[in-house]
């Protein structure tokens, strides 16, 4: 390791060491972190760790550039958001990068974005310390979801367009965001014809849409426009093609049968829990239609399929809109939703389903999801944090992220207080360190 080390002296108050590997020059420093209480997967233990070439080591190296006293701070792995729609807009992406880093969220998975909008900012995003995976356009059938999430915006249509038949008809005919925000794959032939063009947009991951997929055939194109997705056989074909291109596939799902279909065709992740939206209600019929069984979760765990339950999103479907444009929480429904979520989370944990947190936010960060879980007491702090720390690894399965131990990427956050005792401690981050580098953030935390 010492071979090729050139000491170039004092730069920026600290000595910089340059490692030369062929043509690649990596600037790195060796740090010692003393007096920290490090999370070991279950609790906090006092130890000294080192960051060497951006990787954790527990062995004291010969040369240390600087020693930091963590003053009994609580050290945790950084967070990840496995389901967002942010970082896609030239006007907002810089502040969103800053917000994520400030909240200790170092990894973001954008599950559907406008490919064109992202192409314009992608280089800038890649230069930032934030690691971002883009799915680009959503793969669906003609007029399926997410058509209405992209087309009206591309047309500059604002307001409650769905209340005007004329406006709706105009939108349905428009295709400004086609092959950008959404792709229409009505048949395997469509997939074959459009696949190279889709890949040319360089998606990091693939997002497919399953909306009551087994009943697709019974729906006409106009019927339930926006509330449909890929037909089962087309979805299966897309998964096969994506895997041939080494791309992981995340599926939007609505029903328990969509989840079963996704499991069967081998998707890599589910972007929601079935019944996350207003379609669910507290009835026996809804339970049959939307609730996965222990058997379903066992199969998902066996195949190591990641479930992103987007828990806080469901609260959004428990509001009643009033005529003056304000909204009011339907407390009874929100509580019923939370009771169901708690039950399904327990069932997933009992069956070792890999769970990743995702906010489904267009602007906020994953902190919203943590605080929702806490508000409704869906999980104990320890379990909540274990899932939060494992999420980045479920987004980047080939990277050694999410653990504060030898051989893992040296990335961490330091808190003043123990988050196992007080979860709110995560709102007050004292130090941010990613892959061997300190991160400075401008914006204040604790909004
Ligand atoms: Zn989403």
């Amino acid at each position: 390791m010492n071979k090729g080390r050139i000491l170039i002296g004092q730069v920026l108050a600290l000595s910089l060491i340059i490692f030369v590997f062929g043509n690649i020059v990596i600037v790195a420093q060796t740090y010692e972190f003393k007096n920290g209480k490090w999370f070991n997967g279950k609790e906090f233990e006092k130890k000294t760790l080192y960051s060497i070439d951006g990787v954790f080591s527990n062995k004291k190296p010969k040369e240390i550039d600087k020693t930091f006293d963590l003053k009994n701070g609580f050290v945790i792995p950084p967070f990840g958001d496995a389901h967002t729609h942010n970082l896609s807009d030239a006007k907002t992406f810089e502040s969103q990068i800053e917000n994520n880093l400030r909240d200790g969220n170092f990894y973001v998975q954008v599950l559907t974005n406008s490919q064109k909008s992202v192409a314009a900012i992608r280089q800038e995003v890649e230069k930032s310390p934030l690691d971002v995976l883009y799915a680009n356009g959503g793969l669906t059938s003609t007029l399926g979801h997410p058509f209405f999430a992209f087309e009206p915006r591309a047309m500059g249509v604002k307001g409650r367009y769905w209340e005007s038949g004329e406006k709706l008809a105009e939108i349905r005919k428009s295709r400004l965001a086609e092959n950008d925000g959404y792709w229409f794959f009505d048949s395997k032939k469509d997939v074959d014809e459009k696949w190279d063009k889709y890949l040319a947009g360089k998606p990091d991951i693939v997002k497919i849409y399953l909306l009551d997929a087994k009943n697709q055939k019974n729906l006409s194109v106009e019927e339930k426009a926006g509330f449909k997705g890929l037909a089962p056989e087309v979805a299966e074909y897309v998964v096969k093609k994506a895997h041939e291109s080494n791309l992981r596939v995340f599926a939007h799902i609505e029903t328990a049968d969509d989840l079963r279909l996704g499991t069967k065709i081998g998707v890599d992740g589910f972007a929601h829990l079935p019944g996350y939206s207003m379609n669910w209600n507290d009835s026996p019929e809804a339970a049959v239609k939307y609730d996965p069984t222990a058997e379903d979760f066992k199969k998902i765990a066996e195949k190591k399929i990641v479930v992103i339950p987007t828990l806080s999103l469901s609260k959004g479907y428990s509001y009643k809109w009033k005529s003056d444009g304000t909204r009011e929480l339907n407390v009874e429904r929100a509580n019923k939703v939370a009771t169901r979520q708690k039950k399904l989370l327990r069932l997933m944990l009992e069956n070792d389903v890999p769970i990743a947190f995702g906010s489904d936010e267009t602007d906020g960060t994953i902190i919203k999801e943590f605080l929702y879980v806490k508000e409704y007491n869906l999980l104990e702090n320890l379990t909540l944090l274990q899932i939060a720390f494992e999420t980045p690894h479920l987004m980047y399965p080939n990277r050694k992220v999410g653990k504060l131990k030898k051989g893992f990427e040296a990335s961490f956050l330091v808190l003043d207080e123990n988050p196992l005792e007080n979860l709110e401690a995560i709102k007050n981050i004292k130090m941010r360190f990613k892959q061997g580098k300190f991160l400075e953030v401008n914006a204040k935390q604790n909004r």
Side-chain angles (χ1 to χ4, degrees):
M1 193 53 86
N2 283 340
K3 217 176 146 207
R5 258 193 181 197
I6 310 157
L7 192 62
I8 60 162
Q10 303 291 314
V11 185
L12 299 167
L14 296 165
S15 60
L16 279 179
I17 294 165
I18 297 192
F19 300 88
V20 184
F21 300 104
N23 297 329
I24 309 158
V25 179
I26 303 161
V27 180
Q29 292 178 318
T30 296
Y31 293 128
E32 179 182 46
F33 296 100
K34 289 201 314 195
N35 299 322
K37 292 173 183 158
W38 300 74
F39 187 72
N40 67 7
K42 283 201 176 90
E43 59 196 0
F44 288 90
E45 67 178 288
K46 203 157 178 179
K47 62 179 176 182
T48 299
L49 273 184
Y50 304 89
S51 168
I52 306 171
D53 305 350
V55 175
F56 280 127
S57 170
N58 47 14
K59 243 171 75 187
K60 192 170 188 164
K62 274 195 196 120
E63 292 166 53
I64 293 171
D65 293 304
K66 191 159 179 168
T67 296
F68 289 87
D69 184 346
L70 299 182
K71 296 174 182 156
N72 287 316
F74 293 84
V75 192
I76 57 171
F79 305 122
D81 191 339
H83 185 159
T84 72
H85 299 281
N86 58 21
L87 300 160
S88 313
D89 184 300
K91 283 197 216 93
T92 52
F93 81 97
E94 281 166 322
S95 66
Q96 290 174 347
I97 289 174
E98 195 74 18
N99 290 345
N100 274 291
L101 296 176
R102 179 204 56 213
D103 285 354
N105 194 68
F106 294 176
Y107 315 90
V108 173
Q109 195 160 258
V110 184
L111 290 185
T112 313
N113 53 275
S114 154
Q115 188 262 320
K116 282 181 199 151
S117 305
V118 164
I121 59 169
R122 200 155 172 173
Q123 265 193 330
E124 290 300 310
V125 173
E126 277 164 12
K127 270 192 251 164
S128 84
L130 197 66
D131 290 334
V132 185
L133 296 167
Y134 286 107
N136 289 346
L139 308 188
T140 188
S141 60
T142 294
L143 290 181
H145 187 41
F147 173 79
F148 284 96
F150 286 94
E151 195 59 35
R153 207 183 324 159
M155 295 167 73
V157 173
K158 292 189 181 101
R160 304 162 77 86
Y161 60 81
W162 51 89
E163 286 169 359
S164 152
E166 217 176 303
K167 206 60 247 132
L168 261 183
E170 203 188 309
I171 294 167
R172 282 178 198 195
K173 269 188 242 139
S174 180
R175 294 289 183 271
L176 295 179
E178 189 180 8
N179 304 341
D180 176 23
Y182 58 86
W183 292 72
F184 291 153
F185 290 164
D186 292 333
S187 63
K188 290 188 195 176
K189 189 166 159 269
D190 270 353
V191 182
D192 281 332
E193 281 171 9
K194 300 177 189 177
W195 193 250
D196 286 346
K197 198 176 165 201
Y198 168 71
L199 287 186
K202 297 197 167 61
D204 298 308
I205 42 177
V206 176
K207 174 85 177 282
I208 64 169
Y209 286 75
L210 304 176
L211 291 92
D212 198 10
K214 75 169 186 183
N215 292 316
Q216 284 297 292
K217 279 201 193 87
N218 309 327
L219 301 173
S220 70
V221 166
E222 285 303 307
E223 211 180 0
K224 294 186 84 180
F227 296 96
K228 49 186 276 186
L230 295 172
E233 66 278 9
V234 180
E236 182 170 21
Y237 191 56
V238 167
V239 171
K240 188 176 153 265
K241 297 273 275 191
H243 286 170
E244 281 166 11
S245 305
N246 286 318
L247 292 168
R248 300 172 87 210
V249 181
F250 286 80
H252 171 106
I253 50 169
E254 293 284 330
T255 65
D257 277 336
D258 289 337
L259 176 124
R260 286 165 197 138
L261 171 67
T263 306
K264 196 182 112 206
I265 65 178
V267 302
D268 301 276
F270 292 112
H272 300 287
L273 268 178
Y276 67 89
S277 77
M278 70 282 209
N279 296 330
W280 177 85
N281 58 42
D282 187 26
S283 70
E285 296 78 37
V288 170
K289 188 167 180 184
Y290 296 111
D291 290 2
T293 62
E295 207 49 49
D296 293 328
F297 284 138
K298 267 189 197 106
K299 281 187 195 153
I300 286 172
E302 256 167 47
K303 291 195 166 189
K304 295 193 166 60
I305 300 172
V306 179
V307 177
I308 308 161
T310 59
L311 303 160
S312 53
L313 174 71
S314 298
K315 188 177 177 182
Y317 294 106
S318 293
Y319 284 91
K320 281 182 291 198
W321 287 95
K322 295 195 288 190
S323 51
D324 64 357
T326 61
R327 57 181 202 165
E328 191 183 18
L329 184 69
N330 178 342
V331 175
E332 195 193 343
R333 180 183 155 91
N335 288 337
K336 281 178 179 171
V337 165
T339 302
R340 172 180 183 257
Q341 289 176 329
K342 197 169 181 171
K343 191 184 80 185
L344 290 178
L345 281 170
R346 196 176 309 132
L347 204 54
M348 284 197 278
L349 290 165
E350 277 167 14
N351 289 287
D352 297 321
V353 171
I355 303 170
F357 282 133
S359 65
D360 209 355
E361 272 288 313
T362 49
D363 199 34
T365 74
I366 194 67
I367 298 296
K368 178 191 109 175
E369 185 79 348
F370 302 156
L371 297 180
Y372 171 81
V373 171
K374 187 70 203 157
E375 183 189 356
Y376 286 90
N377 192 27
L378 301 184
L379 297 166
E380 306 256 314
N381 286 354
L382 174 63
T383 316
L384 189 165
L385 290 170
Q386 284 169 332
I387 295 171
F389 302 151
E390 180 62 8
T391 293
H393 181 240
L394 296 175
M395 294 159 63
Y396 291 93
N398 299 323
R399 281 172 62 177
K400 295 194 104 179
V401 291
K403 291 195 167 63
L404 307 174
K405 59 191 243 190
K406 185 186 151 194
F408 276 70
E409 291 180 18
S411 304
F412 62 81
L413 311 169
V414 182
L415 314 173
D416 263 350
E417 262 187 279
N418 186 341
L420 291 174
E421 282 160 18
N422 175 19
L423 191 79
E424 299 271 325
I426 61 169
K427 284 170 146 185
N428 200 0
I429 299 169
K430 295 292 168 194
M431 186 187 275
R432 297 162 185 82
F433 193 78
K434 181 163 185 284
Q435 288 171 285
K437 287 176 189 157
F438 289 96
L439 301 186
E440 295 301 331
V441 295
N442 299 321
K444 266 219 148 117
Q445 224 200 336
N446 204 358
R447 286 165 295 166

